[in-house]
Amino acid sequence: MNLNEVEILYTKEQIAARVAELARQISEDYAGGDLLVLGILKGAFIFMADLVREIEGVNLQLDFMSVSSYGTSSESSGEVRILKDLDSSVEGKHVLVVEDIIDTGLTLRYIRDLLLKRGALSVKLCCFLDKPSRRKNSITPDYTGYTIPDHFVVGYGLDYAERYRDYSAVCILQPWVYEK
Ligand code: 5GP
């Protein structure tokens, strides 16, 4: 980890404790039932891997989707392009969408509406990080790891130009890195 470029916001230990709490809550809410956990690639892959291994007493099916939003990298337009669709059908299933971070909310609103249109019985959202100050709609995650101020964060699956995903802490990227 290059500590000139990043500042630690949540340590590996803090993250593990919070993920375990989220998993406990999800295990209670879906106890004994079936649940399709849908990870949004690439950012959610580490969070999802940790989360599903802590969920107990729920019959899980796992799938992934990869999406990209049209628009510039810093300003999403709300239109979402599906780069990789799920392999399974969501019809008649309870779905939990797992995402790394919710910012404007445009991506998750698109995905939620799409899954409901395809016949999902229920769609809940689990985001590790939430930046509510930037929201452009009324989407609120059902499960949130941490609510954070408007910083650009990396690590724990989150990237800047495909770097830093492997950092085990959630870090604030120093602005000089992306302003240079
Ligand atoms: P939105 O909620 O604006 O539609 O988009 C969420 C997506 O924007 C996330 O999945 C992530 O790819 C990207 N994003 C938003 N804020 C950040 C951030 O602070 N760091 C990183 N690495 N990606 C972010």
Side-chain angles (χ1 to χ4, degrees):
M1 185 148 62
N2 185 341
L3 289 173
N4 292 322
E5 294 178 345
V6 300
E7 181 194 327
I8 293 178
L9 188 58
Y10 299 110
T11 64
K12 186 177 172 175
E13 292 73 24
Q14 288 173 314
I15 292 170
R18 189 68 191 118
V19 171
E21 284 172 8
L22 288 173
R24 210 171 306 132
Q25 213 182 322
I26 293 166
S27 305
E28 273 177 35
D29 293 352
Y30 291 94
D34 296 323
L35 180 64
L36 172 62
V37 182
L38 173 60
I40 308 304
L41 296 171
K42 299 176 192 170
F45 83 107
I46 292 180
F47 173 43
M48 174 150 154
D50 286 346
L51 185 73
V52 295
R53 286 179 297 171
E54 296 280 343
I55 295 175
E56 285 177 5
V58 186
N59 305 314
L60 299 184
Q61 188 190 335
L62 311 183
D63 209 334
F64 296 93
M65 249 179 121
S66 174
V67 298
S68 92
S69 58
Y70 290 101
T72 63
S73 54
S74 59
E75 216 36 61
S76 123
S77 66
E79 260 187 273
V80 174
R81 188 156 54 111
I82 298 175
L83 303 177
K84 182 219 171 289
D85 211 335
L86 309 93
D87 297 326
S88 40
S89 162
V90 296
E91 204 177 335
K93 290 179 186 164
H94 293 291
V95 183
L96 179 67
V97 179
V98 175
E99 176 65 304
D100 51 2
I101 187 164
I102 177 166
D103 186 23
T104 62
L106 296 171
T107 309
L108 278 177
R109 186 178 59 189
Y110 176 87
I111 292 171
R112 188 194 61 187
D113 292 352
L114 179 73
L115 298 172
L116 289 170
K117 217 181 299 164
R118 288 180 176 177
L121 263 188
S122 70
V123 179
K124 283 196 184 183
L125 309 174
C126 176
C127 299
F128 190 63
L129 301 170
D130 184 0
K131 286 202 273 197
S133 62
R134 303 233 319 155
R135 199 78 88 254
K136 289 189 175 164
N137 54 35
S138 59
I139 286 251
T140 311
D142 300 278
Y143 307 95
T144 304
Y146 294 104
T147 300
I148 61 168
D150 184 18
H151 295 300
F152 192 83
V153 291
V154 295
Y156 200 58
L158 288 149
D159 78 311
Y160 171 66
E162 292 304 327
R163 283 192 58 206
Y164 311 104
R165 288 195 200 275
D166 55 313
Y167 283 21
S168 48
V170 170
C171 305
I172 297 171
L173 188 63
Q174 300 292 1
W176 67 262
V177 177
Y178 50 87
E179 283 166 1
K180 73 182 173 190

